[in-house]
Amino acid sequence: MKQSSGMTLIVKTVTRVSVWLIILYGIYIILHGHLTPGGGFAGGVIIALAFLNLMLAYGRDFIKKWVNISFLHDIESSSAALFLAIGILGIAFSGYFLANFLSGYGTLYRLYSAGTIPILNIVIGAKVSMGLFVVVWALSIFHIDKGGK
Amino acid sequence: MILPFFIIIPLLTAFLITLISGKKDDWAIILSIIAALSLLVLSVFSFVTIGGNTVVYNMSAWKIPYTICLVLDALSSFMLLIVSIISLTSLMFSIKYIRHLSPSWKYYALFMFLVTGMNGVIVTGDLFNLYVFLEIALIAAYALVAYGSKAEEFEASFKYAVMGSISSILILVGIGIIYSTTSTLTLASIAKVLPERNPQVMYWVGGIFMAGFGLKAAVMPFHAWLPDAHSSAPAPISSMLSGVLIKTLGIYVLIRFFFNVLGAPDIFMTIFLVLGSISILVASFLAIGQWDLKRLLAYSSISQIGFILLGLGIATPLAIFGAVFHILNHAIFKSLLFYNAGTVEMAIGTRDLRKMGNLTKALPVASSTSMIATLSIAGMPPFNGFFSKLIIIIAAVQAVHPGYALIAVVGSLLTLVYFMKVQRYGFRGEELIEKPDVKVGLGMKASMIILATLCVVTSLLVIPGIREVTLESVVSVITGKTDYIFNVLGR
């Protein structure tokens, strides 16, 4: 492995393991959003931080090579559109925007409950994680052009 | 139930634009025009059918203390109509103008976010939801002000962002105080609970909101961001900002909060009057000194907002009718003037009035519509601006506020002075300008002609028979004050 970009070998090795754990934790927070504290936004931020961790440890060029930024961008936009689509389905089935048209209420300790809430959490998680990472990415590739006319 | 679609349509369009448009902006234009057209149809429909009724829509089918409710009454459908008209014409104007500037689908996506934010602020009946939509509109506006990517535009955008953030923090603090006092965020419930719990809080929150939303409306002591932001933005965005953004985020929320929630306490009406008078006079004098056309128009916006505040502060039904009418009129002729300025800037590449000349040959549509807009804003009969200003002045005299009536008259004359300067140097100067190489697009011409026609047509709204079916229900929402509680919550 070349040492040219990113941080030291120690950081890279630790990151290689920890990134998956962070993503897993983020997914856990998203999926249990309707049962435990947390949810789409919190879990999404954690997943974005995993990507950010990767970028800090391995450098910008690595991310550019291995991660398709425009694909992440598409995931972000489409998950937002999907959120609205679920809301519109609420109008179609129950008469109100974002109405819970699947099963009614959440049950304690049951992952498959609370109707559309988990689905919305997943969609929000995708939106927030990709959105936040793309924002940080855009800031990192930003360079100052002084006095452009 | 069409209410949520005022938010869904522009939001979905914005996300679809980011998804499907590749390098080109064709799809973005088509989608955003379709969205703006459908919003116009929906808002015309709602304005025609609403009458004196109030429609309450509970999101997610929850009941009112738990839900985010959307409220549509005559006032909000009136504001929606203005937003739809101006956003459609701005989009028509944008096609050629933005291709000339720097074509990108990003512009249209941001534009749709701007519309989402404004529509959301208008239809929502929940205070925190209002704050969220306000931020959506503002963040889109910051980006759009800097769209031309020149140094001065970034500076203006940054200044706007700093001032906007300060006002947003003030508003957030106000919302926090309200929530801690009333334990609710629904506007109607706040109006019901606040006087029972602690009437003193009303003055605190009123003061904070007056500064916060006053800054969004660019009322005089809080106006510093507006001349920079409105003059540096691309012309269609200037017209959106000056025409509708300062009215929806500023004036509309001030009306909703101070009249419908707090019930128009006298002290705040006096503040409205004083701030309005300061805005009228000082901004007019500042406008006279400007040589940059768009900067002059921006200062003129502050002074016209002063007229609206003056009408609201007098608070008689006639004065409020004048203010509401002036909201509509100002949106129309100020947007038209910004289109004119944009056309001139695109065609001959300057905004400096001293470098312009006689444009009647070079830009016939822009110069003739600018004359109509000038006469309207300066208050010449039979154009719409004459009637709204006249009504405000008559109302001030009737309400025994002769001083304020005098200020309105003087402000009106000063408006005439600086717009004569625009015509004298800018559009009908001595030096004849040849036909420029840049062709003015059909959409640009059409949007200018539509608004110029509206300048004449809307003056019909003052005729008693038409006035009763259109603006009278809007006025009754405002003069009804806390009837809003019963309309939303039921008796």
Side-chain angles (χ1 to χ4, degrees):
Chain A
M1 185 183 291
K2 266 196 275 177
Q3 287 287 316
S4 59
S5 69
M7 295 190 183
T8 59
L9 184 65
I10 300 171
V11 178
K12 282 182 179 170
T13 314
V14 173
T15 303
R16 214 155 47 217
V17 181
S18 69
V19 149
W20 300 109
L21 291 176
I22 299 171
I23 290 181
L24 193 65
Y25 186 60
I27 291 172
Y28 164 77
I29 294 275
I30 292 174
L31 288 184
H32 287 71
H34 54 298
L35 301 174
T36 56
F41 190 90
V45 171
I46 292 169
I47 293 177
L49 288 178
F51 277 87
L52 191 60
N53 189 355
L54 208 63
M55 191 166 89
L56 286 175
Y58 283 87
R60 229 162 39 199
D61 299 330
F62 177 85
I63 294 284
K64 212 171 178 176
K65 201 166 141 196
W66 287 100
V67 181
N68 188 347
I69 296 290
S70 72
F71 179 63
L72 298 189
H73 194 274
D74 285 350
I75 291 179
E76 193 235 326
S77 305
S78 50
S79 54
L82 206 62
F83 183 94
L84 284 172
I86 294 170
I88 295 169
L89 283 181
I91 296 180
F93 289 113
S94 296
Y96 284 98
F97 184 68
L98 274 180
N100 198 338
F101 55 89
L102 296 176
S103 74
Y105 299 101
T107 327
L108 279 179
Y109 317 115
R110 288 291 302 277
L111 194 57
Y112 301 110
S113 63
T116 53
I117 308 289
I119 306 171
L120 290 174
N121 267 331
I122 292 168
V123 171
I124 294 170
K127 162 84 187 158
V128 170
S129 57
M130 297 308 135
L132 209 59
F133 177 67
V134 171
V135 165
V136 175
W137 169 257
L139 287 176
S140 77
I141 58 170
F142 179 75
H143 64 97
I144 294 168
D145 190 6
K146 272 188 184 158
K149 260 275 171 185
Chain B
M1 282 303 218
I2 56 169
L3 245 177
F5 287 100
F6 285 112
I7 301 166
I8 296 171
I9 291 173
L11 198 57
L12 193 62
T13 315
F15 288 122
L16 281 183
I17 286 172
T18 59
L19 264 182
I20 64 169
S21 42
K23 291 266 186 289
K24 282 190 173 173
D25 61 347
D26 299 332
W27 274 107
I29 292 170
I30 294 168
L31 277 175
S32 49
I33 292 272
I34 290 173
L37 261 177
S38 45
L39 283 175
L40 182 65
V41 171
L42 281 181
S43 54
V44 167
F45 174 73
S46 70
F47 186 67
V48 169
T49 52
I50 194 78
N53 304 323
T54 304
V55 179
V56 181
Y57 185 90
N58 296 327
M59 296 271 264
S60 315
W62 293 91
K63 290 288 173 289
I64 243 175
Y66 312 106
T67 184
I68 292 171
C69 63
L70 306 180
V71 178
L72 186 80
D73 55 13
L75 177 62
S76 36
S77 53
F78 171 71
M79 294 302 294
L80 285 173
L81 184 64
I82 297 177
V83 172
S84 314
I85 292 171
I86 303 299
S87 56
L88 181 63
T89 50
S90 285
L91 275 173
M92 280 158 63
F93 190 87
S94 300
I95 300 168
K96 179 84 191 205
Y97 186 88
I98 293 299
R99 281 200 173 146
H100 185 75
L101 195 68
S102 67
S104 170
W105 52 265
K106 289 178 184 130
Y107 172 85
Y108 297 94
L110 285 168
F111 194 100
M112 281 294 130
F113 280 122
L114 187 67
V115 176
T116 309
M118 286 191 294
N119 280 354
V121 166
I122 292 166
V123 296
T124 188
D126 182 281
L127 194 56
F128 194 77
N129 197 231
L130 186 147
Y131 177 78
V132 171
F133 280 118
L134 184 134
E135 285 293 295
I136 293 176
L138 278 176
I139 288 170
Y142 303 149
L144 283 169
V145 166
Y147 185 76
S149 311
K150 287 179 195 152
E152 51 164 355
E153 286 162 6
F154 284 125
E155 190 197 329
S157 167
F158 189 70
K159 197 171 174 181
Y160 188 13
V162 170
M163 300 289 275
S165 310
I166 291 171
S167 67
S168 297
I169 289 168
L170 283 175
I171 292 165
L172 197 58
V173 169
I175 293 172
I177 294 172
I178 286 180
Y179 191 49
S180 70
T181 315
T182 62
S183 317
T184 178
L185 286 169
T186 309
L187 283 171
S189 312
I190 292 169
K192 196 176 175 188
V193 174
L194 193 60
E196 296 165 9
R197 292 276 166 84
N198 191 352
Q200 298 299 314
V201 170
M202 188 173 88
Y203 297 107
W204 277 100
V205 173
I208 290 172
F209 276 8
M210 185 66 85
F213 290 110
L215 222 151
K216 311 278 193 226
V219 186
M220 196 64 195
F222 316 111
H223 69 287
W225 58 272
L226 184 139
D228 284 344
H230 289 205
S231 59
S232 327
I237 295 308
S238 304
S239 76
M240 283 296 279
L241 297 183
S242 248
V244 285
L245 189 91
I246 55 175
K247 295 196 191 73
T248 48
L249 303 193
I251 299 292
Y252 168 79
V253 183
L254 285 176
I255 293 175
R256 208 31 122 201
F257 192 76
F258 284 98
F259 282 82
N260 290 152
V261 175
L262 297 186
D266 285 338
I267 180 168
F268 291 117
M269 293 304 107
T270 315
I271 294 175
F272 272 32
L273 282 173
V274 172
L275 293 186
S277 321
I278 296 173
S279 304
I280 292 175
L281 289 180
V282 182
S284 300
F285 279 115
L286 286 170
I288 291 174
Q290 302 302 320
W291 283 103
D292 182 333
L293 176 54
K294 282 174 85 174
R295 222 179 157 75
L296 188 150
L297 294 178
Y299 275 112
S300 145
S301 284
I302 302 172
S303 127
Q304 303 302 316
I305 287 290
F307 276 99
I308 297 168
L309 272 187
L310 195 70
L312 291 174
I314 296 167
T316 58
L318 187 68
I320 287 172
F321 172 69
V324 166
F325 194 23
H326 203 64
I327 291 177
L328 172 68
N329 295 346
H330 180 251
I332 292 168
F333 50 61
K334 188 48 63 69
S335 304
L336 176 53
L337 283 163
F338 270 114
Y339 297 157
N340 296 145
T343 315
V344 172
E345 192 185 4
M346 188 178 122
I348 61 175
T350 181
R351 301 200 305 239
D352 194 333
L353 287 172
R354 283 166 292 199
K355 289 179 188 147
M356 295 179 199
N358 193 337
L359 294 168
T360 41
K361 281 265 156 42
L363 301 164
V365 177
S367 63
S368 51
T369 51
S370 87
M371 185 51 112
I372 293 175
T374 301
L375 292 177
S376 302
I377 195 170
M380 290 289 145
F383 298 103
N384 53 11
F386 168 73
F387 294 106
S388 50
K389 285 184 179 175
L390 184 72
I391 289 165
I392 290 173
I393 293 166
I394 291 174
V397 173
Q398 277 184 358
V400 204
H401 287 305
Y404 292 117
L406 188 68
I407 287 171
V409 172
V410 171
S412 219
L413 286 176
L414 289 172
T415 314
L416 184 63
V417 170
Y418 58 76
F419 275 102
M420 281 305 108
K421 177 178 167 181
V422 170
Q423 289 297 328
R424 167 74 179 74
Y425 289 94
F427 290 94
R428 283 168 178 73
E430 275 140 21
E431 191 189 347
L432 192 70
I433 305 277
E434 289 303 308
K435 234 179 168 42
D437 303 330
V438 185
K439 276 199 74 169
V440 179
L442 193 67
M444 294 169 79
K445 283 180 187 164
S447 57
M448 285 189 280
I449 291 169
I450 289 171
L451 287 189
T453 320
L454 280 178
C455 273
V456 186
V457 172
T458 47
S459 57
L460 293 177
L461 290 180
V462 85
I463 296 171
I466 302 174
R467 173 181 154 180
E468 253 101 68
V469 293
T470 51
L471 293 182
E472 213 51 57
S473 51
V474 181
V475 174
S476 64
V477 169
I478 303 175
T479 50
K481 294 178 186 170
T482 41
D483 288 352
Y484 179 73
I485 305 170
F486 306 118
N487 293 337
V488 175
L489 298 179
R491 288 196 188 257

